């Protein structure tokens, strides 16, 4: 076993996994897995820069994570940064801050690298499963971007497009600095058109419709699953590998787009940091399912974070 620490810093959240990995058996044992909503990508789509307050929230989480990594005595640490930090003019400020706190430089990876990590993390434990048809389409709906990966034992094609729950919310649902509550039909239509254009881009290089099993990753997907399962609180074990039908996803997406902030916040399994962006995330998931004709999505709690851990094991 090799004890590793993996950090995934995205547009909406930063997450830590400390785990013991055995590359020979394919076993990964969690020691600590946690997530903090920091909204690093706040305003990036509009300004092109990381906001000072977003950087400070992220650095505060990094200080907490540094203590956890030290406590568990991880032998290796890898910090991967995704969409928001790829897009920001002042990403050097972000890099310096992380290096000072954690002693490692964040790797601002490409969308293709992000896709490969997501695929590995989501499918490593599915290999050998006889009840899921291949190829898989792994979809990682993040805050700033969505990754599409088709593969079986390995990645066949991948594409990252700039459609995520935070980016879509800020681009289409925010007026005068506030999320419209609830959004208008015109706003939803504009957001849907943006998502469909992104799916057209993804299909230029990834054969989305060849997939036989859709695997969905990240907070938007797992939150939709928690709602579909009627959970009184977020339960990772029940969500992992649950199967949610397209009709159920459509019902949840429609309801979230019609709900007020207070109604969304009242959902028992809803993380407070997702209240304003979950409607956009659910619509991205529904649009993908309708585009490829998927009857259901297999929800995975294992994703890019697990892929990063395996990359250093």
């Amino acid at each position: 076993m090799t004890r590793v620490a993996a950090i995934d810093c995205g547009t909406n959240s930063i997450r830590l996994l400390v785990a013991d990995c055995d590359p020979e058996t394919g076993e990964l044992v969690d020691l600590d897995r946690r997530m903090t909503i920091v909204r690093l990508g706040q305003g990036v789509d509009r300004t092109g820069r990381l906001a000072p307050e977003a950087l400070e929230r992220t650095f505060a989480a990094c200080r907490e994570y540094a203590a956890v990594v030290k406590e568990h005595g991880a032998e290796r640490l890898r910090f991967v940064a995704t969409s928001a930090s790829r897009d920001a003019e002042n990403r050097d400020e972000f890099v310096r801050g992380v290096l000072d706190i954690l002693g490692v430089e964040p790797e601002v990876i490409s969308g293709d690298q992000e896709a490969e990590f997501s695929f590995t993390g989501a499918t490593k434990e599915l290999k050998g499963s006889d009840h899921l048809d291949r190829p898989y389409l792994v979809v990682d709906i993040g805050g700033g971007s969505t990754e599409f990966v088709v593969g079986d034992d390995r990645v066949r094609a991948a594409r990252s497009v700039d459609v995520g729950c935070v980016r879509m919310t800020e681009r289409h649902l925010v007026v005068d600095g506030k999320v419209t509550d609830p959004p208008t039909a015109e706003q939803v239509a504009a957001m849907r058109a943006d998502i469909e254009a992104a799916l057209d881009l993804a299909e230029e290089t990834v054969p989305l419709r060849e997939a036989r099993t859709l695997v969905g990753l990240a907070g938007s997907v797992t939150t939709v699953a928690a709602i579909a399962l009627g959970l009184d609180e977020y339960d990772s074990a029940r969500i992992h590998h649950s199967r949610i039908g397209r009709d159920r996803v459509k019902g949840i997406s429609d309801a979230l787009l019609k709900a007020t902030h207070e109604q969304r916040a009242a959902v028992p399994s809803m993380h407070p940091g997702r209240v304003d962006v979950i409607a956009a995330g659910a619509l991205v998931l529904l649009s993908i399912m309708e585009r490829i004709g998927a009857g259901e999505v297999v929800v995975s709690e294992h994703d890019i974070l697990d892929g990063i851990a395996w990359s250093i094991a």
Side-chain angles (χ1 to χ4, degrees):
M1 287 282 194
T2 301
R3 183 160 295 182
V4 300
I7 296 176
D8 165 40
C9 184
T11 301
N12 196 45
S13 63
I14 183 169
R15 299 179 304 143
L16 167 70
L17 170 63
V18 181
D20 286 332
C21 303
D22 187 340
E24 290 189 9
T25 64
E27 184 182 10
L28 186 150
V29 179
D30 287 15
L31 300 174
D32 199 304
R33 188 186 290 259
R34 61 182 66 194
M35 182 269 290
T36 310
I37 299 286
V38 294
R39 197 66 63 84
L40 179 61
Q42 172 193 331
V44 167
D45 191 56
R46 177 176 52 83
T47 67
R49 296 180 62 82
L50 298 168
E53 61 271 28
L55 284 168
E56 184 44 48
R57 289 192 298 266
T58 305
F59 295 154
C62 286
R63 286 188 280 271
E64 174 193 331
Y65 291 0
V68 175
V69 171
K70 183 178 180 180
E71 177 189 342
H72 285 289
E75 300 168 43
R76 304 174 192 170
L77 167 64
R78 189 172 190 181
F79 187 117
V80 165
T82 53
S83 180
S85 47
R86 274 200 304 267
D87 300 339
E89 294 172 4
N90 60 333
R91 69 182 186 183
D92 287 348
E93 186 178 347
F94 165 71
V95 170
R96 285 194 304 273
V98 172
L99 183 59
D100 287 346
I101 296 166
L102 286 158
V104 296
E105 187 168 314
E107 301 172 54
V108 182
I109 60 173
S110 69
D112 287 344
Q113 289 174 298
E114 189 174 348
E116 185 129 9
F117 284 144
S118 295
F119 186 82
T120 300
T123 65
K124 197 169 184 71
E125 63 185 340
L126 297 179
K127 290 172 183 175
S129 172
D130 57 5
H131 62 281
L132 292 176
D133 294 330
R134 302 187 197 183
Y136 307 116
L137 169 61
V138 174
V139 174
D140 187 340
I141 303 172
S145 63
T146 295
E147 283 63 54
F148 298 86
V149 199
V150 167
D152 29 58
D153 289 327
R154 58 182 179 78
V155 173
R156 283 171 38 188
R159 183 74 180 261
S160 176
V161 295
D162 284 341
V163 169
C165 60
V166 174
R167 193 184 299 268
M168 289 298 94
T169 299
E170 291 188 349
R171 187 178 292 177
H172 296 289
L173 306 185
V174 173
V175 178
D176 296 330
K178 291 185 178 181
V179 177
T180 307
D181 192 21
T184 65
E186 292 76 14
Q187 286 175 306
V188 174
M191 182 164 60
R192 182 66 183 248
D194 214 355
I195 296 167
E196 293 296 339
L199 290 175
D200 290 342
L201 277 178
E203 282 202 291
E204 289 177 3
T205 50
V206 180
L208 303 181
R209 299 174 212 238
E210 289 183 13
R212 293 294 171 263
T213 297
L214 173 65
V215 182
L217 317 181
S220 290
V221 178
T222 57
T223 301
V224 168
I227 296 170
L229 294 169
L231 301 183
D232 291 333
E233 59 183 10
Y234 193 93
D235 186 336
S236 179
R238 288 189 60 188
I239 290 167
H240 189 48
H241 289 175
S242 60
R243 299 185 182 195
I244 311 300
R246 185 172 68 204
D247 288 346
R248 189 78 180 99
V249 172
K250 179 171 175 26
I252 291 168
S253 175
D254 290 348
L256 289 170
L257 287 165
K258 293 173 183 173
T260 64
H261 176 94
E262 287 72 20
Q263 289 169 331
R264 294 191 302 275
V267 175
S269 54
M270 183 76 67
H271 189 288
R274 298 202 186 279
V275 173
D276 284 335
V277 299
I278 185 58
L283 184 61
V284 173
L285 174 61
L286 175 63
S287 302
I288 293 166
M289 296 181 77
E290 291 180 344
R291 172 66 68 102
I292 70 172
E296 66 176 16
V297 57
V298 178
V299 181
S300 179
E301 286 275 10
H302 294 181
D303 50 27
I304 185 174
L305 199 55
D306 303 74
I308 297 165
W310 281 117
S311 76
I312 54 177

